[in-house]
Amino acid sequence: MAKDTVRYPDEIVEEIDELVDDGMFESKSEFYRFSAEYVLTLINPDHEVETFNFDEIKSEIDISEEDHAKALGTDGGTFFLDSVITVRKHGLRGDYEAAERYIDTHYDPTDQECIILEELLGTYREQSG
């Protein structure tokens, strides 16, 4: 196993120390190994996880599939695609208010995804008018 030295801001180290003290992770090393593996799974879904108890730790932290998808963003997550499908369904049925409610409850108005979904909804309004 390779050893690597990395510098972190004091505030981050303090937060990690608190997680270890609270028993969320057995050690700082476990935290760093888990964190690195988690990011690698975000970047590459085919990444072979080697961290012992990775799935157990992930379930204890309670990272939902929705949280995981949000972390991936629009270029790799499934939450945005699900949102496009939902807005499309409402748009095709002419249920624009339901689509607006969905967008408003799931996105901040300044989010890029929000703007794209509102544009999509606008195309359905134009087609019906």
Side-chain angles (χ1 to χ4, degrees):
M1 188 178 285
K3 183 176 181 179
D4 210 353
T5 302
V6 181
R7 294 186 181 274
Y8 292 96
D10 292 336
E11 297 80 20
I12 291 176
V13 173
E14 288 170 11
E15 287 187 47
I16 294 167
D17 285 339
E18 286 179 29
L19 292 172
V20 172
D21 291 343
D22 291 344
M24 180 71 70
F25 292 91
E26 289 184 21
S27 66
K28 288 168 122 179
S29 293
E30 183 182 65
F31 172 85
Y32 294 124
R33 281 191 296 272
F34 174 82
S35 299
E37 292 265 38
Y38 183 70
V39 170
L40 290 171
T41 63
L42 292 176
I43 296 167
N44 178 9
D46 296 327
H47 171 73
E48 293 289 327
V49 175
E50 295 182 20
T51 299
F52 181 70
N53 289 340
F54 179 85
D55 290 327
E56 182 180 320
I57 295 168
K58 186 178 170 191
S59 68
E60 286 176 8
I61 294 174
D62 196 26
I63 299 173
S64 69
E65 290 304 315
E66 184 176 316
D67 291 335
H68 188 82
K70 284 180 183 176
L72 284 172
T74 58
D75 58 354
T78 58
F79 184 74
F80 179 70
L81 179 58
D82 291 342
S83 295
V84 168
I85 292 167
T86 300
V87 169
R88 182 176 184 274
K89 282 183 195 176
H90 290 304
L92 287 170
R93 295 177 182 147
D95 194 357
Y96 308 125
E97 288 180 17
E100 288 172 348
R101 270 193 312 275
Y102 179 85
I103 295 169
D104 291 344
T105 59
H106 290 85
Y107 292 92
D108 183 273
T110 59
D111 285 349
Q112 182 179 22
E113 294 91 349
C114 178
I115 295 166
I116 293 168
L117 292 171
E118 288 175 345
E119 287 293 321
L120 175 64
L121 181 58
T123 62
Y124 290 109
R125 283 191 169 124
E126 289 172 9
Q127 290 174 357
S128 70

